[in-house]
Amino acid sequence: MDFDLPQDIVDYLKELDDFIEREIKPLQAQDDNERFFDHRREYARTDFENGGLPRKEWEELLAEARRRADAAGHYRYAWPKEMGGKGGSQLAMAVIREHLAAKGLGLFNDLQTEHSIVGNNPFVLMFKEFATNWQYERYADKLLNGEMRTGFGLTEPNHGSDATFMETRAIRETRDGKPGWRIDGAKMWTTGMHVASHCMVFARTSGKDGDATGITCFIVPKETPGFVIEEYLWTFNMPTDHPRISITNCWVPEDSYWGEIDKGLGLGQSFVHQNRIRQAASSLGAAQFCIEESVKYARDRKPFGKPLAENQAIQWPLVELQTQCEMLRLLIRKTAWEMDRMDHKQVEKTISDKVSMCNYWANRLVCEAADRAMQVHGGIGYSRHKPFEHIYRHHRRYRITEGSEEIQMRKVAAYLFGYLGPRRQMFKAREAAGVEYVQPIPAPR
């Protein structure tokens, strides 16, 4: 076994660091762009008089950073080579995401917006894996050149974790002599719709509530009549770009879908598996940042005439957090490495539980690390002059989104007890053979 990172990944981290120093830090330093990252960050980023949406200046700054990263060949690093990327592996992306998040707040990698100089674009691989040939010909260029930007419409006002119980329905309907689909329903937390051109609307097209099949992913242009953004919901961490959408008598042509009819849930699984392992790595990096900052502060701060770091009440909580970081790092990298060694669609069937382990534990860990950093730093840690409250408020959402931690623990349990995954056949075979797990207690003599 060799736990050393591949040299090409190590070299690439150095290349990214050089690019940040040369291109991104100067951009962050000019025109008072530091206001988006220092104690003024929430106000500077948020247009409170416009529904709490991101301010135009903030998004323009992020776009310029991405433009520079793209010109330098970094932004599309993880995209497949045939789609203009470098084919970066899941392992490489996990290492990169941790590396950047461990640097703290900065224009190179803003966790709040999923912005990064190395783009996290799960739509691209999802599209490559599930699009039919004609769908690829129709949409690929628009998707790759940024002309087509999609929101992810899976969650509903009455249904989040129970996505297979969604109320949004699509039925075949011909209008003006053209075959198509009428979609009715509602969606919630459909991030990014203020800049999206289309929305991936998941709707039931057959079957009954609870069925994994019978759901189709429709590509609905935002300007389609009946598709209405009702409001942007304000959140714990502002700005907001998470709307509630109503879909009423919304008609799209017959071929306005991705993947296959009734098999759209696979696209959603592809999206979350990529996002979950990468988000886990980001949470790990942010947790490590909180620990390191706390260690430095505890060494420098000298209440009662001695360093704060000499107190076991300070040491031990950080020791436990650091231990968890070390163990989690190994699991994340092993899981990402395994993802690279199998067909993308096999992840759900074989190691989805490991992806969930990484994600729910990392997101819980970073919240604990940010909270501990506030405590170690005292009053200044609670203020917005330190980044810990921002890290906490941002990462707290990931214990709910991308599959709540309870849902992910349920996935782990299903694999562990053989209701899903590779152990299912083993348990079925034992049951068929009449193997009993609980042996009767022998009667007393």
Side-chain angles (χ1 to χ4, degrees):
M1 300 176 69
D2 183 359
F3 290 98
D4 289 336
L5 285 175
Q7 190 59 44
D8 64 314
I9 297 178
V10 175
D11 293 341
Y12 191 60
L13 295 180
K14 175 64 166 58
E15 186 179 340
L16 286 174
D17 288 344
D18 291 343
F19 172 74
I20 291 169
E21 292 293 328
R22 185 176 65 255
E23 291 280 346
I24 303 302
K25 283 190 175 181
L27 177 61
Q28 181 174 326
Q30 73 185 39
D31 301 324
D32 195 28
N33 287 331
E34 291 291 353
R35 71 189 185 277
F36 296 113
F37 304 96
D38 63 19
H39 62 281
R40 301 168 289 173
R41 54 189 168 260
E42 190 167 33
Y43 179 81
R45 296 177 179 199
T46 309
D47 190 346
F48 289 102
E49 304 305 318
N50 185 30
L53 284 166
R55 291 189 189 274
K56 180 181 178 182
E57 300 88 346
W58 168 231
E59 296 200 312
E60 287 177 345
L61 177 62
L62 296 178
E64 174 60 19
R66 289 193 299 270
R67 187 197 66 76
R68 295 187 183 193
D70 203 14
H74 299 308
Y75 185 69
R76 307 185 193 210
Y77 172 83
W79 294 22
K81 291 180 179 179
E82 61 269 33
M83 300 179 79
K86 295 184 177 180
S89 66
Q90 296 291 350
L91 173 61
M93 282 296 289
V95 173
I96 291 167
R97 298 272 287 182
E98 179 193 343
H99 178 76
L100 295 178
K103 291 177 178 290
L105 306 189
L107 184 54
F108 52 87
N109 187 73
D110 187 72
L111 299 174
Q112 183 186 36
T113 60
E114 285 297 325
H115 156 86
S116 179
I117 58 171
V118 181
N120 175 34
N121 302 95
F123 289 108
V124 175
L125 182 57
M126 178 187 70
F127 179 75
K128 173 181 176 292
E129 293 291 331
F130 288 90
T132 62
N133 289 335
W134 70 264
Q135 289 168 347
Y136 191 91
E137 292 175 1
R138 179 177 180 180
Y139 293 113
D141 287 344
K142 293 181 180 179
L143 190 67
L144 297 180
N145 64 23
E147 183 180 343
M148 182 179 191
R149 301 179 67 176
T150 56
F152 191 74
L154 182 64
T155 300
E156 299 185 349
N158 295 324
H159 299 281
S161 298
D162 56 340
T164 57
F165 284 76
M166 67 177 61
E167 297 174 35
T168 302
R169 296 288 191 268
I171 60 173
R172 293 184 183 275
E173 183 175 292
T174 298
R175 292 191 183 181
D176 299 326
K178 298 179 180 179
W181 300 86
R182 171 180 166 171
I183 308 174
D184 292 277
K187 294 297 175 181
M188 192 88 159
W189 309 116
T190 314
T191 303
M193 284 307 302
H194 68 300
V195 294
S197 61
H198 295 71
C199 183
M200 298 171 61
V201 175
F202 291 82
R204 183 162 291 285
T205 46
S206 68
K208 62 183 186 302
D209 285 346
D211 289 347
T213 57
I215 293 172
T216 302
C217 176
F218 292 94
I219 301 301
V220 180
K222 185 166 69 172
E223 304 305 322
T224 302
F227 184 92
V228 178
I229 296 175
E230 298 288 353
E231 63 176 331
Y232 285 91
L233 295 119
W234 288 35
T235 60
F236 193 30
N237 204 23
M238 295 293 281
T240 180
D241 59 349
H242 316 291
R244 175 175 62 86
I245 295 170
S246 65
I247 306 170
T248 308
N249 192 21
C250 184
W251 187 89
V252 293
E254 196 279 333
D255 57 0
S256 300
Y257 59 89
W258 274 358
E260 299 179 53
I261 300 258
D262 292 340
K263 295 182 179 180
L265 206 57
L267 280 79
Q269 291 167 341
S270 166
F271 180 93
V272 298
H273 281 127
Q274 294 179 77
N275 246 15
R276 282 175 181 172
I277 195 67
R278 296 172 183 178
Q279 182 56 49
S282 290
S283 292
L284 170 62
Q288 191 69 68
F289 170 80
C290 291
I291 294 168
E292 295 294 346
E293 290 298 300
S294 298
V295 168
K296 290 181 211 173
Y297 184 82
R299 291 296 301 263
D300 292 340
R301 185 78 164 180
K302 295 181 174 64
F304 306 104
K306 66 177 184 178
L308 197 61
E310 292 184 12
N311 299 319
Q312 288 181 334
I314 298 297
Q315 293 175 357
W316 288 7
L318 294 174
V319 166
E320 290 193 348
L321 290 168
Q322 183 63 36
T323 301
Q324 292 183 53
C325 281
E326 293 291 345
M327 292 189 291
L328 181 61
R329 182 174 294 109
L330 293 175
L331 181 59
I332 289 174
R333 292 182 180 182
K334 176 178 179 289
T335 303
W337 176 78
E338 288 181 329
M339 291 173 71
D340 288 328
R341 292 164 62 88
M342 65 181 64
D343 180 84
H344 182 64
K345 296 178 183 178
Q346 288 298 311
V347 173
E348 169 65 22
K349 300 176 182 178
T350 54
I351 59 169
S352 183
D353 61 327
K354 302 301 188 301
V355 176
S356 288
M357 287 178 188
C358 293
N359 189 264
Y360 92 79
W361 196 260
N363 294 332
R364 185 184 296 179
L365 175 61
V366 67
C367 290
E368 293 177 357
D371 183 75
R372 178 53 52 182
M374 291 183 215
Q375 194 70 20
V376 171
H377 283 76
I380 195 67
Y382 181 69
S383 78
R384 297 196 178 187
H385 294 271
K386 290 292 182 180
F388 310 122
E389 57 81 29
H390 178 86
I391 290 171
Y392 180 87
R393 285 187 294 112
H394 168 69
H395 283 274
R396 184 59 182 84
R397 76 171 182 166
Y398 286 111
R399 295 177 61 188
I400 300 170
T401 63
E402 305 295 340
S404 69
E405 63 183 38
E406 291 83 4
I407 288 297
Q408 297 199 58
M409 291 172 76
R410 189 175 75 164
K411 169 64 71 69
V412 175
Y415 273 59
L416 178 63
F417 289 94
Y419 298 112
L420 293 174
R423 292 160 64 92
R424 184 177 185 183
Q425 292 304 317
M426 178 188 75
F427 279 98
K428 279 190 171 183
R430 288 186 178 183
E431 290 170 1
V435 176
E436 294 187 2
Y437 297 97
V438 180
Q439 298 300 321
I441 300 174
R445 294 181 180 178

